[in-house]
Amino acid sequence: MQIKKNEIGKIFKKLKLEVRSTKHRYGWFTFQERKILRVHYSHGKGNIPGRVSDKIRSQLKLTQKDFRNLIDCPLSLKDYATILKEKGLI
């Protein structure tokens, strides 16, 4: 699924990822002051191609449906933390 760069920016803000920007944009999801996972993508121009958005989805440990819900806003930070707890990552 191809997505826009501003949608990834919204995800970073929604999940309150700690961001560092170099050649790539890195974000760390922390829970109770512990780093749980890392997400990154290249700066580049234009939209993010499907294969890259699939990698981002995989880094976030989400299904296709949950990733779409994260982008479209029904999935909150609290819901995301619940998903990670169910998967044993938190």
Side-chain angles (χ1 to χ4, degrees), residues 5 7 27 45 64 77:
K5 287 227 172 155
E7 291 175 321
K45 293 183 180 180
Q64 192 78 6
L77 174 59

Side-chain angles (χ1 to χ4, degrees), residues 5 10 35 57 64 73:
K5 287 227 172 155
K10 289 177 185 176
K35 289 183 180 179
R57 179 187 57 77
Q64 192 78 6
C73 289

Side-chain angles (χ1 to χ4, degrees), residues 37-50:
L37 51 85
R38 181 186 74 168
V39 180
H40 77 279
Y41 66 94
S42 297
H43 285 285
K45 293 183 180 180
N47 294 334
I48 296 175

Side-chain angles (χ1 to χ4, degrees), residues 2 43 65:
Q2 185 175 4
H43 285 285
K65 179 183 176 187

Side-chain angles (χ1 to χ4, degrees), residues 29-32 34-39 57-63 80-90:
F29 179 73
T30 58
F31 185 78
Q32 297 178 345
R34 195 176 111 218
K35 289 183 180 179
I36 306 299
L37 51 85
R38 181 186 74 168
V39 180
R57 179 187 57 77
S58 176
Q59 292 167 356
L60 290 169
K61 310 296 186 206
L62 292 172
T63 64
Y80 180 64
T82 300
I83 289 170
L84 293 182
K85 284 179 186 177
E86 289 172 356
K87 292 184 177 192
L89 297 169
I90 295 179

Side-chain angles (χ1 to χ4, degrees), residues 1 3 5 8 40-42 47-59 67:
M1 141 184 30
I3 56 177
K5 287 227 172 155
I8 294 296
H40 77 279
Y41 66 94
S42 297
N47 294 334
I48 296 175
R51 61 184 172 75
V52 176
S53 67
D54 283 340
K55 286 183 181 181
I56 293 169
R57 179 187 57 77
S58 176
Q59 292 167 356
F67 187 59

